[in-house]
């Protein structure tokens, strides 16, 4: 899905999964200046490897072939949304990116939903998950790039500044 300079909202299901024997997940891309996932389910999981889900840009802001839209200014994933690029039985987890332009002081990425890029249950390593924006809010996010039968994956957290606090601290 691509919205040139406007807004894109996903509130349903996008499914490019490969759940048949030896299938891998496909690719989902959602691009535009303002992105909102509300009650959305994006599934790029696969029996033999996870696919990719790109929101707002490529891994670490890399260009996405065939996409001419400028990087997202806002990317918002609600608590009732789930993005899954996991391997199911074997193979490595895929890639999930929630990105807004880290070089623009007005950019905000807000993730409260579930992001998954797990390795397969029999074999495989965890995949890659990125949450990036000049301002980043991952309060309430549930992220898993683990692997039962391999090495854990990566969660890249890339804001301009980061502050980690005890949720019970008083100021």
């Amino acid at each position: 899905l691509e919205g040139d300079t406007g807004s894109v909202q996903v509130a349903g299901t996008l499914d490019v999964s490969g759940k048949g024997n030896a299938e891998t997940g496909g690719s989902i891309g959602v691009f535009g200046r303002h992105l909102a996932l509300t009650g959305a389910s994006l599934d790029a999981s696969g029996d033999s490897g996870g696919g990719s889900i790109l929101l707002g840009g490529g891994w670490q802001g890399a260009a996405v072939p065939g996409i001419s839209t400028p990087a997202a200014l806002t990317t918002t994933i609600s608590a009732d949304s789930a993005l899954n690029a996991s391997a199911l039985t074997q193979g490595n987890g895929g890639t999930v990116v929630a990105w807004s332009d880290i070089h623009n002081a007005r950019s905000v990425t807000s993730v409260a939903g579930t992001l998954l890029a797990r390795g397969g249950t029999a074999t495989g390593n965890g995949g890659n998950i990125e949450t990036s924006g000049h301002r980043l809010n991952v309060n309430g996010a549930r992220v898993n790039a683990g692997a039962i039968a391999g090495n854990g994956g990566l969660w890249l957290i890339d804001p301009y500044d980061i502050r980690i606090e005890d949720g019970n601290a008083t100021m």
Side-chain angles (χ1 to χ4, degrees):
L1 301 175
E2 184 176 0
D4 191 17
T5 57
S7 300
V8 177
Q9 181 173 4
V10 179
T13 298
L14 299 175
D15 188 340
V16 297
S17 62
K19 295 182 179 164
N21 188 36
E23 291 181 345
T24 58
S27 298
I28 297 172
V30 180
F31 304 100
R33 290 301 276 171
H34 303 281
L35 309 176
L37 274 64
T38 306
S41 173
L42 280 59
D43 189 353
S45 63
D47 179 63
S48 290
S52 67
I53 301 172
L54 306 178
L55 304 178
W59 183 259
Q60 292 188 305
V64 178
I67 301 298
S68 59
T69 303
L73 185 60
T74 61
T75 297
T76 304
I77 301 171
S78 68
D80 58 352
S81 293
L83 290 67
N84 187 358
S86 297
L88 301 174
T89 305
Q90 58 190 5
N92 298 330
T95 300
V96 175
V97 174
W99 204 86
S100 65
D101 188 356
I102 62 170
H103 304 292
N104 186 327
R106 295 181 311 142
S107 99
V108 178
T109 298
S110 181
V111 179
T114 301
L115 309 180
L116 306 172
R118 297 178 299 223
T121 57
T123 63
N125 299 319
N128 296 311
I129 297 173
E130 176 181 6
T131 51
S132 293
H134 190 81
R135 287 183 287 155
L136 176 65
N137 178 359
V138 292
N139 190 23
R142 293 164 307 284
V143 176
N144 188 339
I148 294 170
N151 296 318
L154 172 71
W155 179 16
L156 173 63
I157 303 170
D158 188 13
Y160 181 78
D161 242 340
I162 190 164
R163 196 164 111 183
I164 300 171
E165 299 177 345
D166 178 348
N168 297 320
T170 57
M171 301 181 115

